[in-house]
Amino acid sequence: MEIDMDVKTYQYSGKQKIVYTNNSPDTLSVVFYHLFFNAFQPNSEMDIRLQNIKDPDDRMVNNTGTREKPVLESRISKLKADEIGYIKVNSLKQDNAIINFTEYGTVLKATLNQPLLPGASTNLAMDFTGQVPLLIRRAGRNSSEGVALSMAQWYPKLAEYDFEGWHANAYIAREFHGVWGNFDVKITIDKDYVIGGSGYLQNPNEIGHGYETGKVNRPKGDKLTWHFKAPNVHDFIWAADPDYIHDKITGENDVTLHFFYKKSLKKEYLENWKKLQPKTVELLAFFNKNIGAYPYEQYSIIQGGDGGMEYAMCTLISGERSFGSLVGLTAHEFAHSWFQFVLATNEQKHEWMDEGFTSYISDLAMDKIMQKEQKNPWLSSYQGYQYLAKSGLEEPQTLHADRYEYNFAYGASAYNKGTVFLTQLGYIIGQDNLQKTLKRYYTDFKFKHPTPNDFIRVAEKVSGLQLWWYLNYWIQTTATIDYAVKEASGNTIILERIGKMPMPIELKVTYSDNSTENFYIPLQMMYGKKETEATVLKNWSWTSPTYTFKTKKTIKNIEIDPSGLLADINRDNNTLR
Ligand SMILES: [Zn+2]
């Protein structure tokens, strides 16, 4: 792509050429593109959804009422013509011949002149113009912290075609899915603007701005053309501001970590951005060790956007943060590189595999590098999930990310329930097997868009246990876990499964002589058990609501799940004295 940006009007022109290979077994007669910026227009699908959802994102609305009686107004609905976002496609060609297309808001459907056979390639060429919207959500101009350009979802982006067909979803709210490719991008912009983004800069000594490797020799003129290459990515984003500080530090495997943040930040925030840099080196090493090697040569942490959002080789985060918050957010967004970016599950369909797995590993990383040493680093995820499960608003995780009735239910499901999916899998198969599963999953499925079944099959192979039932209950239903001690007398214990979802059970019994014994009750349909030092009892089948067993000594008290890793929604009935 070649882009020419006008920083005064926020308009840009672009030329895009794609060599598109059909790696599917199907003949393609159409292609789809995303035109994401068209969402930021009054009456767009995003705008209408924003006006109708019961708990809109507060970044996207103005409150024209009071705090007690809020009256929320869509910020998109108020955008003027020179403030909206758009991508206008001026022409589209296949192998030098014009092809016809129809626009549906944020989606473009083009009919190919020549159907594309399996294994064949074709050239698609597009001329377009764009306007950067006021920053309403994720991308746009003039962020609340004054960053000039946060350029995500900014170019006409080919949609993904896979075994499920075209993923040509309108831009309503969230989550993305893209095609792997080698990007070659030239951005022409006023020469005092500093760019951070997805690619490796090819002409650092023509640019300077902290990228130079020798003497800077800038071409004449008011603008500079930045030439980036980004191999094997499914997105390309950038941010630009004339006021950026640009720092670099080298991490494990010679990965260059770049930091872009505004000179105008308050002194305490500037200090936090400096102290963040060695912590990011530690984060890189932690993720390399616990998931697998980061496959690119650079990663950039860029002040921009409206919170934190993960992209190719970089993140845009808001920068006015306490040190703990800045490191925590960086840990989360950087961890996304392994899940959202390199594994790249379809996060519109399986958002929990992205947000949940990312939160799982970043919580663990924060516990380590900030020396927190918590008993359960995921405690807040358990609490968030339990709150969701009891709220009456939970929907199954198989629902498309945009379709949840409440943003709250989406968030708690993707992040909290997604995290608990993994921590609880550790409870089921053992923590060592969970660590092995995560690493093997990354090795086997990087750059392959894995599905939930791909992941659970890895866990089955590593553990030797049947786990399909766990995937079925946890992601396809809203069934909950609630086990109780029903009765105990003398040395007889009766347990009860009250919740619909069955699990293997760990139990700690204290006897009247104050000695203790741990028990493990395998779940029949797993056809096996994790390694345990507990006394293993007979299997419990999901068809039996109760379970009775006898101990050798008289019982004083009983506790189900002393580890706290079972997502039991009512722990009050887990103990009996
Ligand atoms: Zn995230």
Side-chain angles (χ1 to χ4, degrees), residues 332 336 355 415:
H332 180 89
H336 266 302
E355 294 301 349
Y415 291 78

Side-chain angles (χ1 to χ4, degrees), residues 13-14 88-92 98 101 103 126-129:
S13 59
K88 288 182 181 154
V89 177
N90 304 320
S91 73
L92 182 56
I98 293 281
F101 60 86
E103 286 182 24
M126 185 187 277
D127 272 22
F128 63 95
T129 48

